[in-house]
Amino acid sequence: RDAAAQYLWRVAQRSPTRVSNRCGNRCAGTPRRIQRRGRHSHHCCSTPKTRAPMAAAPRRDVHVTQWVARPALGSRHEEMGLLGVAKVVLRILLVLGATASALVAACLIKCLVFPIDKVIGRAWLDRYVVAAWADAVIGGPILPRGPALKLSGELPAPERRAGILIANHQLDTDWFYLWDVCRVVGAHGALKIVMLDDMRTVPLVGWIARLVGFIFVSRRKRHARPQNDVEEIQRGVSEIAEGQAPSLILLFPEGTTVNEEAKRKSDQYASSKERPRHELLLAPRTAGFVAACRGYVSRGVPLEDIIVYDATMAYAGYRGEVPAWDLGFERNDDVELPNAAKLFKGAHGDHVRVHVNAYRASEIFEGDIRKDGDQKATTWLDERWVEKNSRLKAYATTGDFDPADVGETVLLKQPAMLLPFALLTAGWLGSLSFAAFVAFLAFLVLLPVLLVTMCGAFACCLVVVPCIGLGLCALGPLAAAKRMYDHDRRGASPLLRRAPGKIF
């Protein structure tokens, strides 16, 4: 009881909490006093209680809920035991099994359905491969009982044929959580992600990403494929739009996650282009966004039907830190923020805050993308990024976006989809184990034959190799004698060197 009281006191010093008491009231704010014996007093009641206070669970019957960010499990300051390692290995096996299953399904659809009808093939890829893969990976081992999603604004509509989802880029896990947001509205099958070309060659994941239509950009890296990223995005979106199925393109206009080195280059770029600089964000690049819109227009989709969803993301525990470049996806201060390595350790944070605004592309480009399309997009993106920076500053200070800015907020958790894909992975592992067992039995059956063959080869080597050596040793003196004979003939008289068969 004393330990619980001390823990609650430390939590209360960091951020406001909600404490339950016997009178049934909830007190927002810090308790006035928590003694070592467990006695405490509240703002709402003066009668001391003899029980140690317990932190109440967040209320789920209201739209706006206060949350206390918990430290992320499996952080770099925490050692993993044997059980933790086993869980990580199990999650990796489940991800590989689900990905292998989706890859087989994608290959079958590409080989059997696409030659007959590309429209049906694209619809089947989205429904039976992309959506199932997202449920298996995002709703399975990655986020089985994931963080709560605090959502506000206008979420993507799953029936829209043409949609573009843009967001600020903080961590390498951003696309995981945005994919989980799309699962809320059933648009996760239509999502196509613009990612780095490094992912193209990753076994299983890169293969299936290429098959389902994900778009890869090189960002002019030396080891990447020589390509024009703008043309690649336009070509990829055009191929997706050709299927006439609902689609949602996810891209990050900042191009990379926020760090000190990228922030310095971004500020220099913004100053050279006379664009606004942001305290917590990088300046957005315009070319990829315009290329995605042009890819839809090239397939006959009018600008009026292209919906642009602008998402602002923040994670529980975010305090506005811009990390050093050498930290990677770790943090010195915002240690509660997740990353890909922490997700496999089960550390997904407490909640993710996402606000989405929807716009029509015709409003952004004023009805014509061909005339000054880049300049119109630049102006619009700069305005949106100023708004994002203000929201993130409010979140870093208060722990949430300004309600007057984002409006009504809903809080929910996605259901886990672990069991069916765990069974599927078990089937894959069972099949591989059976194949390995059969191969081992065949090896045991053929082992005598292999032993006899190896003994015969060894005996032949014992006989043949010495004979070859002796022959080579004998050829040495013969070669020397022939050389001496040739030398003597060259130094003899002309009579001895005349041609054979001639007497005079």
Side-chain angles (χ1 to χ4, degrees):
R1 184 176 299 175
D2 292 343
Q6 294 177 10
Y7 171 75
L8 287 173
W9 176 254
R10 290 195 299 268
V11 172
Q13 295 300 316
R14 292 198 301 266
S15 60
T17 58
R18 292 184 173 187
V19 181
S20 299
N21 52 31
R22 291 195 177 187
C23 63
N25 297 328
R26 293 183 180 269
C27 300
T30 58
R32 291 180 181 175
R33 183 175 68 255
I34 299 179
Q35 300 179 0
R36 291 187 58 84
R37 293 182 299 172
R39 300 173 64 87
H40 64 277
S41 60
H42 294 272
H43 299 283
C44 61
C45 56
S46 58
T47 305
K49 307 298 179 182
T50 58
R51 256 180 105 178
M54 301 297 292
R59 295 177 60 186
R60 300 301 177 90
D61 56 345
V62 295
H63 292 297
V64 180
T65 307
Q66 287 186 352
W67 284 79
V68 178
R70 296 189 296 270
L73 301 175
S75 65
R76 56 180 175 171
H77 304 292
E78 182 177 332
E79 296 182 358
M80 293 181 59
L82 183 60
L83 181 59
V85 174
K87 289 182 178 180
V88 171
V89 173
L90 179 60
R91 290 189 180 97
I92 293 175
L93 289 177
L94 290 175
V95 169
L96 293 178
T99 305
S101 304
L103 180 62
V104 171
C107 291
L108 291 176
I109 294 175
K110 278 282 189 179
C111 296
L112 301 179
V113 182
F114 265 72
I116 301 174
D117 193 327
K118 288 186 177 181
V119 176
I120 296 178
R122 174 62 62 184
W124 284 18
L125 270 182
D126 293 346
R127 182 183 305 171
Y128 300 116
V129 177
V130 181
W133 189 33
D135 287 331
V137 176
I138 307 300
I142 299 296
L143 304 174
R145 292 182 299 275
L149 298 174
K150 297 181 69 174
L151 308 177
S152 59
E154 303 160 292
L155 299 182
E159 69 277 1
R160 301 296 305 189
R161 179 187 173 188
I164 299 175
L165 175 61
I166 61 174
N168 56 302
H169 204 6
Q170 287 184 317
L171 301 168
D172 58 341
T173 55
D174 290 341
W175 63 278
F176 280 111
Y177 292 98
L178 288 173
W179 214 347
D180 200 33
V181 171
C182 292
R183 290 179 64 225
V184 173
V185 293
H188 53 305
L191 189 68
K192 304 295 183 294
I193 305 174
V194 179
M195 55 178 53
L196 285 179
D197 193 72
D198 300 342
M199 293 293 295
R200 176 188 293 269
T201 56
V202 175
L204 294 181
V205 177
W207 302 341
I208 188 175
R210 280 186 285 176
L211 285 175
V212 300
F214 284 15
I215 304 171
F216 299 91
V217 294
S218 63
R219 280 177 43 202
R220 299 179 181 177
K221 290 189 175 182
R222 295 181 180 178
H223 60 277
R225 295 181 308 142
Q227 66 176 21
N228 187 313
D229 289 343
V230 175
E231 295 178 358
E232 185 70 15
I233 293 176
Q234 184 170 344
R235 183 198 61 80
V237 175
S238 177
E239 290 183 357
I240 294 171
E242 186 181 6
Q244 301 179 5
S247 59
L248 182 64
I249 310 299
L250 170 60
L251 58 87
F252 299 98
E254 292 171 294
T256 185
T257 55
V258 179
N259 58 70
E260 290 180 352
E261 182 66 17
K263 186 74 169 58
R264 180 184 62 81
K265 294 180 180 179
S266 173
D267 290 344
Q268 291 178 354
Y269 170 79
S271 299
S272 64
K273 300 294 183 179
E274 297 183 353
R275 296 176 58 184
R277 295 187 297 177
H278 311 286
E279 182 179 349
L280 303 176
L281 297 170
L282 306 180
R285 302 302 176 98
T286 308
F289 171 69
V290 177
C293 294
R294 286 174 175 164
Y296 278 123
V297 173
S298 66
R299 292 296 177 181
V301 181
L303 286 175
E304 184 71 19
D305 294 340
I306 302 175
I307 308 300
V308 179
Y309 299 96
D310 173 34
T312 305
M313 294 184 62
Y315 295 87
Y318 176 71
R319 301 178 184 87
E321 178 187 2
V322 178
W325 179 84
D326 55 354
L327 283 177
F329 299 109
E330 292 285 354
R331 296 292 188 272
N332 281 328
D333 298 328
D334 299 347
V335 295
E336 296 91 350
L337 270 61
N339 55 43
K342 290 181 180 179
L343 288 183
F344 279 99
K345 297 177 183 178
H348 43 63
D350 189 81
H351 71 271
V352 179
R353 184 70 172 92
V354 181
H355 176 71
V356 184
N357 288 327
Y359 304 87
R360 293 188 181 274
S362 57
E363 302 172 2
I364 301 172
F365 297 100
E366 300 175 358
D368 189 2
I369 195 175
R370 294 170 296 181
K371 183 178 180 181
D372 298 331
D374 292 340
Q375 183 60 40
K376 296 174 182 176
T378 300
T379 303
W380 182 82
L381 284 174
D382 285 341
E383 293 174 355
R384 302 289 78 76
W385 250 246
V386 170
E387 297 173 357
K388 287 178 185 293
N389 192 70
S390 300
R391 294 190 188 108
L392 290 178
K393 290 174 65 176
Y395 190 93
T397 305
T398 64
D400 201 353
F401 300 151
D402 186 4
D405 176 33
V406 301
E408 185 181 62
T409 303
V410 296
L411 185 144
L412 52 88
K413 273 193 176 185
Q414 287 287 77
M417 303 288 292
L418 193 59
L419 181 59
F421 298 101
L423 296 176
L424 188 61
T425 303
W428 277 105
L429 293 178
S431 301
L432 293 176
S433 301
F434 179 74
F437 180 70
V438 170
F440 180 70
L441 289 180
F443 173 76
L444 292 180
V445 171
L446 297 176
L447 184 59
V449 179
L450 294 175
L451 289 176
V452 172
T453 305
M454 291 175 62
C455 292
F458 182 69
C460 291
C461 291
L462 289 179
V463 175
V464 174
V465 172
C467 293
I468 294 175
L470 292 175
L472 293 177
C473 291
L475 289 176
L478 293 176
K482 183 178 183 301
R483 184 176 181 183
M484 292 176 62
Y485 174 75
D486 293 339
H487 180 268
D488 292 341
R489 287 193 60 182
R490 286 195 298 270
S493 63
L495 181 62
L496 295 177
R497 287 188 283 113
R498 60 189 174 186
K502 292 184 180 181
I503 301 177
F504 300 103

